[in-house]
Amino acid sequence: MDIKFVAAGAAVPAKAAVARIVFEGDTHEGPLAQAVAASRFTGAKGQTLDILAPQGLDAARLVLVGAGKRDAFTTLGAEQAAAAAYNAVKTSGLTTLRVELSGATDHSVHAAFGLRLASYRFDKYRTKEAAEKKPSVTHAEIVAADPDAALGAFAPLSALADGITFTRDLVSEPANVLYPAEFARRVKALETLGLEVEILGEPEMMKLGMGSLLGVGQGSVRESQLAVIKWYGADDKSAQPVAFVGKGVCFDTGGISIKPAENMEDMKWDMGGAGAVAGLMHALAGRKAKVNAIGILGLVENMPDGNAYRPGDVLTSMSGQTIEVVNTDAEGRLVLADALWYCQDRFKPKFMVDLATLTGAIIIALGNDYAGCFSNNDELSANLLAASAAEDEGLWRLPLPTAYEKQIDSMIADMKNTGGRPGGSITAALFLQRYVNGVPWAHLDIASTAWKKPSSVGTIPDGATGYGVRLLNRMVQDRYEG
Ligand code: BES
Ligand code: MN
Ligand code: ZN
């Protein structure tokens, strides 16, 4: 999507739709008033009214987009209104969308951001799509009081949209294309943005003693990888970094504890945590964030095989703690155990936030609009929840009760890798907590939010959401930069 900011009076190009963002109680004039009167359009949030060949207007179509109460209009409202406008005309055959909104530059800038998010599409494997089904709108013009100021203010949000797009592309890729080494290559390519990227293969991880992560990957013909992404953007390059760790299971069959066939294809998305961390690092570098940040991705494939790890196996993690594997499908925590330990051991970060599509139980607990937050630190948790509210990426804190620790006691090792069905997301988080060595930490279980099908949010097309990139970018920006 090619986006420009234009002054209110600028000539409308050929083959354009004009979307006018209006509020409840607004009055309309002339033929427009007639069209509104003949419909149920009130200006309520989410409503659109499509008017073909509007009289007295230089546009092929006019779309009125309801934005609710004028006083309650926010930057998030501007994003959603612009997304609704795009979704109303995207396959109309018209090529340009002009978005008209009055008021603050902020609103114009966020309308542009909303268009970037709404127009995302993963279509590289469609070779036979009929022309009339493809989106036709490729250009947008957003009215702004001061177009130059708007363009300047859009730069960091455009970088954020680039990061979210990167995440969505990674998460959408099938596992035959995006296996650990390919994921690592795509992350390595981010060095052009100024990031430093190190890739560790199996021999390096073996030397570090990462028996937990390596155990998961040993049944796959694809080599496991650990990606270490570094962004030193703070004025003081030696300042303590913030750190993000992602579960990157490029495909999760369940291993020997194999999953049922139905919906197993969804498990290409089991690298959504690593995808979000990669997208976040992309965004931080893209907007030259004044922070030192580390991103660590544990990249593996969980397969059943003659060489696969078995239920009953005991793994020794980098921390030295031993783990009895009782279910090879509880693999994400095994990957994160070594990635988290390595992160705190090497980088001594201010805090670690891990993102993982860790448990089906979080979907049962919270549904698809909230991820679960688990933390050993109230300040970090409060910062995450504040960022969640600001960016409208749902997050809900859940407890880490000591009394549940016994669910992961093992007869023969330091712990087992699952605690059974009761509180399944909680015992998974308690397991991870044993690998953070007391560092301020939060775990976001995003199994509920990494993808939506179908999606009901205009800025999130069906499929990979990019959840977490906005939230963490905002938290870094508001609390850890400068
Ligand atoms: N990747 C899954 C979690 C998951 C399930 C994500 C469904 C999205 C949708 C994870 O590796 C897993 O298999 N977890 C098990 C844990 C159990 C064996 C203790 C689960 O949730 O069933
Ligand atoms: Mn699993
Ligand atoms: Zn998994």
Side-chain angles (χ1 to χ4, degrees):
M1 171 76 74
D2 175 68
I3 296 181
K4 288 203 283 206
F5 295 94
V6 301
V12 177
K15 300 204 67 175
V18 169
R20 192 170 291 164
I21 294 174
V22 299
F23 299 95
E24 273 168 334
D26 280 4
T27 52
H28 306 280
E29 278 164 22
L32 203 52
Q34 265 180 294
V36 170
S39 77
R40 285 182 159 179
F41 184 85
T42 61
K45 220 183 239 182
Q47 285 185 340
T48 55
L49 180 66
D50 209 352
I51 302 164
L52 297 176
Q55 283 177 44
L57 201 78
D58 228 2
R61 278 183 189 227
L62 174 65
V63 186
L64 295 185
V65 181
K69 301 239 183 317
R70 187 180 288 269
D71 299 341
F73 192 56
T74 59
T75 51
L76 287 171
E79 291 170 18
Q80 291 308 331
Y86 173 78
N87 288 323
V89 301
K90 65 182 174 189
T91 55
S92 61
L94 301 172
T95 50
T96 299
L97 171 62
R98 160 83 59 100
V99 180
E100 289 184 359
L101 71 179
S102 50
T105 299
D106 242 22
H107 291 152
S108 299
V109 168
H110 278 269
F113 183 56
L115 288 181
R116 282 288 311 275
L117 298 182
S119 60
Y120 175 79
R121 201 163 183 259
F122 188 77
D123 55 9
K124 66 191 276 197
Y125 298 115
R126 292 180 185 274
T127 67
K128 297 188 166 185
E129 190 174 39
E132 67 272 18
K133 293 208 167 149
K134 284 199 211 308
S136 55
V137 173
T138 51
H139 290 69
E141 297 183 354
I142 297 166
V143 170
D146 180 344
D148 291 335
L151 187 62
F154 182 49
L157 280 172
S158 183
L160 176 56
D162 291 342
I164 294 167
T165 298
F166 188 65
T167 301
R168 288 176 176 176
D169 281 344
L170 289 168
V171 173
S172 302
E173 280 289 6
N176 62 324
V177 174
L178 195 82
Y179 46 92
E182 172 61 15
F183 196 137
R185 272 194 286 279
R186 292 190 187 190
V187 169
K188 183 79 181 165
L190 299 184
E191 288 192 328
T192 55
L193 295 173
L195 293 160
E196 290 169 38
V197 180
E198 273 173 54
I199 306 297
L200 281 61
E202 290 181 355
E204 290 87 358
M205 288 191 273
M206 209 96 78
K207 260 191 221 134
L208 289 162
M210 293 189 171
S212 183
L213 185 154
L214 289 169
V216 176
Q218 81 187 30
S220 171
V221 297
R222 308 290 198 183
E223 188 186 354
S224 300
Q225 310 269 282
L226 191 82
V228 181
I229 314 171
K230 296 175 273 188
W231 171 250
Y232 294 106
D235 291 332
D236 177 3
K237 307 290 175 225
S238 66
Q240 205 182 11
V242 297
F244 304 93
V245 178
K247 167 179 173 181
V249 177
C250 294
F251 196 79
D252 181 12
T253 64
I256 297 300
S257 314
I258 198 163
K259 289 181 180 294
E262 198 178 349
N263 299 128
M264 200 203 275
E265 70 277 12
D266 287 352
M267 286 300 118
K268 73 171 184 182
W269 283 327
D270 210 19
M271 33 57 69
V277 171
L280 171 69
M281 298 305 291
H282 192 305
L284 294 178
R287 66 175 184 79
K288 306 231 176 304
K290 289 205 158 296
V291 67
N292 295 337
I294 302 297
I296 297 199
L297 319 179
L299 303 170
V300 304
E301 183 180 55
N302 187 21
M303 298 292 277
D305 178 75
N307 193 46
Y309 75 142
R310 293 154 287 258
D313 284 4
V314 174
L315 306 176
T316 301
S317 66
M318 183 182 174
S319 71
Q321 300 175 93
T322 57
I323 305 157
E324 181 190 7
V325 177
V326 299
N327 189 321
T328 64
D329 197 11
E331 84 297 338
R333 64 200 76 182
L334 298 172
V335 172
L336 289 172
D338 280 338
L340 285 164
W341 188 267
Y342 174 81
C343 181
Q344 59 79 32
D345 183 56
R346 176 166 173 198
F347 294 105
K348 313 283 183 252
K350 268 196 198 99
F351 65 75
M352 301 191 284
V353 175
D354 78 71
L355 290 95
T357 51
L358 205 64
T359 66
I362 203 70
I363 307 172
I364 306 301
L366 297 177
N368 287 109
D369 290 337
Y370 287 82
C373 176
F374 300 84
S375 183
N376 62 2
N377 186 285
D378 290 344
E379 188 190 332
L380 177 59
S381 173
N383 287 344
L384 287 163
L385 292 169
S388 143
E391 297 290 329
D392 200 22
E393 290 196 319
L395 185 66
W396 199 259
R397 191 173 182 185
L398 291 162
L400 288 165
T402 312
Y404 294 9
E405 297 271 11
K406 59 178 173 301
Q407 283 179 235
I408 53 174
D409 284 350
S410 161
M411 303 254 293
I412 70 157
D414 295 334
M415 68 199 77
K416 52 185 189 179
N417 77 329
T418 90
R421 284 167 58 88
S425 305
I426 295 175
T427 53
L430 286 169
F431 180 98
L432 297 180
Q433 186 173 229
R434 297 179 181 202
Y435 294 87
V436 304
N437 208 12
V439 170
W441 151 82
H443 156 58
L444 309 188
D445 192 337
I446 62 167
S448 45
T449 56
W451 58 86
K452 276 190 191 276
K453 55 167 196 186
S455 166
S456 54
V457 184
T459 46
I460 305 176
D462 292 358
T465 61
Y467 178 95
V469 179
R470 290 187 73 159
L471 192 162
L472 295 172
N473 176 69
R474 165 68 78 132
M475 183 181 78
V476 169
Q477 188 171 306
D478 287 356
R479 308 283 174 173
Y480 299 99
E481 275 186 62

